Amino acid sequence: MVRRGIVTSRSVHLTTCQNGPSRRGVPSESESWLMLAAVLRNTGDTDLDVTDTIEVNDPGPDDVIVKITHTGVCHSDVSAMNGTIPQPVPAVLGHEGAGVIEAVGDNVTEVSVGDHVIVVWSPPCGACQFCVGHKSPNLCTTVQFGSMMIPHFREGGSDVNAMAGAGTFAERTLLPKQAVVKIDDDIPLDIASLIGCGVMTGAGAALNTAKVAPGSSVIVYGAGGVGVAAIQGARIAGAAEIVAVDLNDAKLDDAKRFGATHAVTPDDVEGISAEITGGDGFDYALECIGNPITMRAAFDAVRRGGTACIVGVGRPEEMVQFSAFELFFMEKTLVGSYYGGTDVRSDFHKLLRLYKYGKLDLEGMITRRITIDEINPALEAVRRGEVIRQVIEF
Ligand code: PAD
Ligand code: ZN
């Protein structure tokens, strides 16, 4: 259900949103739309406030406004609520989204009104040492941190932040132009939204960060949206064995649909490792939960010389311990993976081509489609580990 109201203000002229986009530019005096958004009022709240009192701010010369059509619910949204991921409040949460460009600032030539786009929660500036020198554009913070400093929304006279500079749990959001990747109009936007976080993160962790090799053995901890994408990434890379580990039995069945050759609860990891690797350990482990215990378990699950890749996000104060001897003796690679080590400009399109030819199952990852009014039960389902992805449709 969508409720909208009109107010008179200095805000962007969004007359396009009823009948489809028709104009470019940062407009002048006019009416703006109040819109539905899900707001975190206080860190520690277990519910978001679904309200129609939020407005999007005017785009600057290098900004765009995206009409969000679809946004996935990721565990990181839950983590922003409970303080695992630091997030100034009040904030519109959501960071996995896709939609249509509704307005562009004067300097924006890369996209136009009406373009279909995926939202990028960590956009590369394209010019800094991380983007150019280190060839790690996922680690560029220039645009993201700059964007996070600017309130994207307002409510009455007060500022409202956007999670990770994205804020996709709203009918529209304000983004720097680098934070959108244009896609073809025939790609379903619900599918596209998943690429914006969970799918890129999980598949990218397997393909870009761990660089899973053909014929190798892989164990993936956690079969939520990120873990299922990691399983698919490992399958695409040509892994021989892919073991999914999850507490939830239903998730073990799910994991097999996406390419896991084996699926076990944590208690059975040792047994399956003995069966597949003779007890040496797996070539790769991908931790897609965010728990220090499973991070340590992932490190333990790989063989001497193997790679443990940590994708899950734990609290800043939580620690994982390593023996000062084992690091040398086991010669394992321990690597974090931020946004799947992606260069979004090329990787989003690669993943969409894999989807197009049936090699990446994105449709099957959508457990349910919901409205923004159903966000709180949806977040609870994520906490209980019951779902792969839930997609909000506006
Ligand atoms: P999710 O909640 O959909 O999936 C987590 C899965 O782990 C669920 O199926 C749970 O049942 C399972 N699980 C929980 N605890 C255990 C346990 N102790 N043993 C075995 N299984 C368990 O989460 P998600 O897939 O949306 O996200 C996973 C993590 O990835 C989370 O920490 C999120 O914040 C992180 C993430 N990282 C990045 C990044 O850039 N590295 C990006 C996006 C998300
Ligand atoms: Zn996410």
Side-chain angles (χ1 to χ4, degrees), residues 126-297:
C128 73
Q129 193 59 8
F130 282 102
C131 285
V132 180
H134 305 315
K135 297 198 170 17
S136 302
N138 61 312
L139 300 182
C140 167
T141 51
T142 316
V143 178
Q144 187 190 26
F145 285 11
S147 169
M148 285 167 73
M149 305 302 284
I150 301 164
H152 291 220
F153 306 101
R154 64 181 182 278
E155 183 177 38
S158 305
D159 291 336
V160 177
N161 301 299
M163 179 181 176
T168 57
F169 289 170
E171 290 178 272
R172 57 183 60 84
T173 190
L174 169 68
L175 297 167
K177 64 182 180 184
Q178 297 92 340
V180 291
V181 168
K182 180 176 161 27
I183 57 170
D184 291 343
D185 288 356
D186 59 353
I187 296 163
L189 285 164
D190 53 350
I191 294 295
S193 71
L194 302 184
I195 304 261
C197 183
V199 169
M200 186 67 255
T201 297
L207 294 163
N208 297 333
T209 312
K211 296 188 172 61
V212 169
S216 59
S217 58
V218 180
I219 184 164
V220 177
Y221 284 80
V226 174
V228 160
I231 288 166
Q232 297 207 67
R235 170 174 51 71
I236 290 163
E241 296 97 1
I242 304 171
V243 178
V245 184
D246 205 291
L247 289 171
N248 185 329
D249 285 336
K251 287 305 196 48
L252 301 181
D253 293 335
D254 283 340
K256 288 190 174 170
R257 285 197 285 126
F258 296 95
T261 54
H262 305 72
V264 298
T265 57
D267 289 344
D268 292 333
V269 167
E270 221 171 297
I272 203 78
S273 175
E275 186 186 317
I276 292 174
T277 74
D280 288 346
F282 295 87
D283 296 319
Y284 305 90
L286 295 147
E287 200 274 0
C288 303
I289 298 169
N291 179 327
I293 294 169
T294 45
M295 290 180 189
R296 176 67 226 196

Side-chain angles (χ1 to χ4, degrees), residues 188 190-191 194 258 355 360-367 369:
D190 53 350
I191 294 295
L194 302 184
F258 296 95
Y355 156 74
L360 181 65
D361 179 3
L362 300 182
E363 186 63 42
M365 288 181 65
I366 301 179
T367 308
R369 291 174 166 77

Side-chain angles (χ1 to χ4, degrees), residues 73-79 84-85 95-96 121 197-198 201-202 221-228 245-248 251 264-266 287-291 293-295 310-314 336-341 381-389:
V73 183
C74 172
H75 203 106
S76 298
D77 297 303
V78 171
S79 297
T84 299
I85 295 177
H95 57 284
E96 182 178 277
W121 59 258
C197 183
T201 297
Y221 284 80
V226 174
V228 160
V245 184
D246 205 291
L247 289 171
N248 185 329
K251 287 305 196 48
V264 298
T265 57
E287 200 274 0
C288 303
I289 298 169
N291 179 327
I293 294 169
T294 45
M295 290 180 189
I310 308 301
V311 189
V313 182
S337 185
Y338 187 86
Y339 212 171
V382 173
R383 286 185 200 101
R384 287 200 298 264
E386 286 175 2
V387 284
I388 301 174
R389 269 307 189 249

